[in-house]
């Protein structure tokens, strides 16, 4: 479409598809790099028929100027660590590059979203270049379950207009005790630490806020595109 409000025309084929039918591509997200003025697609490769995934990847590949085709080679930028909190899953990628930072930050979700365990959580990795290599934060996961909300994940991270040090993370989580039924859309505030550069919740709890967190009105985020660099 030539307008964000549409109408949209389907290009008629997937942008990316694995040649092996046992793999599925999901959780695609878009990133425009103001530094290189290039745009990218990031997505997850998982298995079509679990019972349980054991090997998942996050890919990145450059898009053409019109955004309708991929070009160049895809690259693996993250892989799950089966012996860590991630278990067999990394998914839901979201990349930001805060103004003045030397790194690209890749937020992602890991573990099991919907098996009732509440193990689903958010991690972050960073790299000096958009294509990697990405280093996972030693404090991962930076957002995990607590006594009220279970399995927080699949986040989006946006800067707050007027305060480049403060970002809002939007994510979903189950409301206990129904860890397989009712999910809510939640938000919290995070900052990038002045010393080590890693993001963390301003509550220092690494779990969803129980009380309401004051953030700017959603309408103000429409004006924040220029600081997503």
């Amino acid at each position: 479409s030539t307008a964000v409000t549409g109408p949209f025309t389907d290009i008629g084929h997937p942008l990316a598809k694995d040649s092996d039918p046992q793999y599925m591509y999901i959780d695609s997200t878009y990133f425009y790099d103001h530094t290189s003025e290039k745009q990218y697609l990031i997505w997850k490769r998982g298995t079509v028929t679990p019972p349980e995934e054991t090997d998942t990847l996050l890919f990145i590949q450059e898009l053409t100027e019109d955004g309708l085709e991929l070009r160049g080679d895809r690259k693996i930028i993250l892989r799950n660590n089966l012996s860590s909190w991630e278990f067999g899953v990394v998914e839901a990628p979201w990349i930001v590059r805060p103004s003045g930072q030397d790194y690209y930050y890749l937020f992602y979700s890991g573990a099991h979203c919907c098996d009732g365990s509440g193990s689903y959580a958010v991690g972050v990795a960073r790299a000096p270049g958009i294509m990697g290599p990405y280093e996972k934060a030693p404090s991962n996961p930076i957002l995990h379950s607590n006594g009220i909300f279970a399995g927080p994940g699949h986040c989006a991270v946006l800067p707050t207009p007027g305060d480049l040090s403060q970002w809002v993370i939007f994510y979903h989580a189950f409301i206990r005790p129904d860890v397989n039924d009712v999910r809510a859309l939640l938000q919290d505030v995070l900052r990038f630490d002045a010393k080590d550069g890693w993001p963390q919740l301003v509550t220092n709890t690494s779990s969803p806020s129980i009380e309401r967190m004051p953030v700017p009105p959603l309408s103000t985020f429409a004006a924040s595109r220029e600081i997503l660099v």
Side-chain angles (χ1 to χ4, degrees), residues 127-159:
I130 182 68
M131 305 296 280
Y134 281 86
E135 167 199 8
K136 296 177 182 179
S139 59
N140 277 344
I142 64 167
L143 177 62
H144 55 72
S145 297
N146 59 22
I148 305 298
F149 299 106
H154 210 131
C155 69
V157 181
L158 297 172

Side-chain angles (χ1 to χ4, degrees), residues 10-197:
D10 192 330
I11 64 173
H13 59 83
L15 270 177
K17 182 180 179 180
D18 204 282
S19 58
D20 189 330
Q22 73 171 311
Y23 295 119
M24 62 178 177
Y25 286 173
I26 62 170
D27 292 353
S28 61
T29 188
Y30 168 89
F31 179 75
Y32 178 76
D33 186 0
H34 286 261
T35 301
S36 65
E37 298 185 342
K38 294 180 180 180
Q39 48 192 352
Y40 297 89
L41 189 72
I42 308 101
W43 70 94
K44 169 197 173 180
R45 190 199 76 172
T47 51
V48 174
T49 54
E52 185 171 304
E53 292 181 302
T54 58
D55 183 27
T56 53
L57 307 173
L58 296 184
F59 284 121
I60 189 170
Q61 192 166 350
E62 187 183 345
L63 285 160
T64 54
E65 284 80 2
D66 61 9
L68 298 180
E69 296 181 56
L70 294 168
R71 67 180 173 197
D73 297 322
R74 70 183 185 186
K75 184 174 182 181
I76 298 169
I77 55 173
L78 208 70
R79 171 176 253 128
N80 70 289
N81 180 348
L82 195 59
S83 63
S84 75
W85 67 273
E86 300 164 351
F87 298 109
V89 177
V90 290
E91 61 186 20
W94 184 276
I95 291 179
V96 301
R97 188 180 187 188
S99 179
Q101 286 277 4
D102 295 329
Y103 295 101
Y104 295 80
Y105 290 85
L106 169 61
F107 293 85
Y108 66 96
S109 297
H112 307 300
C113 75
C114 311
D115 65 353
S117 67
S119 63
Y120 204 51
V122 174
V124 65
R126 69 184 182 187
I130 182 68
M131 305 296 280
Y134 281 86
E135 167 199 8
K136 296 177 182 179
S139 59
N140 277 344
I142 64 167
L143 177 62
H144 55 72
S145 297
N146 59 22
I148 305 298
F149 299 106
H154 210 131
C155 69
V157 181
L158 297 172
T160 58
D163 184 357
L164 300 186
S165 69
Q166 187 165 271
W167 293 63
V168 178
I169 179 170
F170 299 92
Y171 56 96
H172 61 64
F174 289 102
I175 304 174
R176 297 186 187 273
D178 298 317
V179 294
N180 281 312
D181 186 17
V182 180
R183 276 195 288 192
L185 178 62
L186 306 176
Q187 63 187 24
D188 264 284
V189 178
L190 60 80
R191 291 181 183 272
F192 290 83
D193 187 85
K195 293 183 179 179
D196 62 21

